[in-house]
Amino acid sequence: MGLSFICCQSQTQGAYLNQLLGNIIQQYFGRFLPSSPPASQAWQHPILLAVSSSATIPGFSHLYKTTLQIISENYLQFKGHAPPPCLASVLAFILEALQRTKSTEVCNVELLLPAVLKCLVLVNEPQVKKLSTEILQCVLESCQTRSGGEPATQLTSVFRRFIQDYTTVYDNQVYSVLEAVAALDQPLVINLIPAMTEALRSSEYKQGLGRNIVQREAYKRLLSQLAEAGQAEILKLENESH
């Protein structure tokens, strides 16, 4: 496959071939992206076929990461609150790539999760929510199969930023996402308790109305699913002086 060859060469021959690889991926990704997601077995996108067929070659990691970078930078960018065009098809492509390659690359976290989490908060379209949830599950499961601390560190960083960015306005959506994450990786969400409590207090401070009882109750429902650490945080919140 030509892309695989360029990919292997670009790792050793520098910036020009890297740029060429990116340009080819961007051009072909957009040209062959369907307006709506096809059935899984019907995907014939040349970039997907290239990534899938390269999963066992030495240049796979570079090709895979470059593909995700192009998609992230050009096809997953919101304009304000408006989602990018053909979002369901883009997400379906990503999910298919994750499932076909069984990728455990760390770049899945940094390049995919921020946009996927944003989709779960800002987009109500059922197909987008379903695809985003499945991608989130795939990425979390791939991190659990990869040894070493880097994926866990990256995950914590991405989710901490997610909590900081969205809790004030979208607290219910944030807690709903984190409940789903806790079902897959409870220790991850337990480690985020300090960030969640800080975001709650920051939200209340910005609103300037004292305690937000509704938001606190929603947060406590999430904490109740987080074992002893969650129960301890509930007690701390309840014992705060009025």
Side-chain angles (χ1 to χ4, degrees):
M1 174 62 191
L3 274 182
S4 303
F5 174 77
I6 295 173
C7 186
C8 290
Q9 296 299 310
S10 69
Q11 289 183 285
T12 58
Q13 297 186 27
Y16 169 72
L17 283 181
N18 270 319
Q19 184 178 5
L20 177 62
L21 177 65
N23 289 342
I24 292 171
I25 291 170
Q26 182 172 350
Q27 182 179 1
Y28 277 83
F29 183 84
R31 180 182 297 178
F32 291 95
L33 185 70
S35 57
S36 59
S40 177
Q41 62 272 19
W43 272 104
Q44 294 297 320
H45 195 293
I47 301 300
L48 180 62
L49 297 175
V51 170
S52 304
S53 64
S54 304
T56 57
I57 69 168
F60 165 73
S61 183
H62 185 55
L63 174 59
Y64 183 81
K65 184 172 183 178
T66 303
T67 301
L68 290 194
Q69 284 176 324
I70 294 298
I71 294 172
S72 175
E73 292 168 4
N74 297 280
Y75 298 95
L76 286 176
Q77 296 299 314
F78 283 64
K79 291 186 177 179
H81 288 67
C86 300
L87 179 56
S89 291
V90 174
L91 293 172
F93 177 99
I94 292 168
L95 180 62
E96 192 70 17
L98 287 169
Q99 292 174 338
R100 288 192 187 188
T101 62
K102 297 182 171 28
S103 167
T104 59
E105 299 289 323
V106 176
C107 64
N108 289 334
V109 175
E110 58 182 312
L111 294 176
L112 294 181
L113 273 196
V116 167
L117 292 170
K118 192 169 189 174
C119 289
L120 286 169
V121 168
L122 296 181
V123 183
N124 291 319
E125 185 186 337
Q127 191 175 29
V128 168
K129 281 197 174 296
K130 180 176 182 294
L131 289 164
S132 299
T133 300
E134 290 177 355
I135 292 170
L136 175 60
Q137 182 173 347
C138 276
V139 173
L140 289 173
E141 289 174 350
S142 73
C143 289
Q144 289 169 344
T145 62
R146 185 185 176 106
S147 59
E150 187 177 3
T153 302
Q154 292 258 0
L155 277 174
T156 301
S157 175
V158 167
F159 276 102
R160 188 178 291 123
R161 192 162 62 248
F162 168 67
I163 290 163
Q164 291 168 346
D165 288 347
Y166 294 106
T167 298
T168 297
V169 179
Y170 301 101
D171 53 290
N172 282 327
Q173 292 93 322
V174 169
Y175 297 147
S176 176
V177 169
L178 292 172
E179 283 181 23
V181 173
L184 298 166
D185 189 345
Q186 190 185 65
L188 169 65
V189 184
I190 287 173
N191 286 335
L192 293 167
I193 287 175
M196 292 189 289
T197 299
E198 181 182 350
L200 168 70
R201 290 176 177 144
S202 174
S203 173
E204 290 175 336
Y205 177 78
K206 289 174 183 175
Q207 292 165 358
L209 299 172
R211 293 187 179 197
N212 185 329
I213 302 302
V214 174
Q215 185 174 349
R216 283 181 174 245
E217 289 304 314
Y219 181 34
K220 287 177 187 177
R221 283 195 296 274
L222 170 59
L223 288 171
S224 69
Q225 301 176 35
L226 301 180
E228 291 180 7
Q231 296 298 328
E233 194 69 14
I234 289 173
L235 286 174
K236 283 170 62 178
L237 290 171
E238 291 176 344
N239 290 334
E240 285 180 347
S241 57
H242 290 272

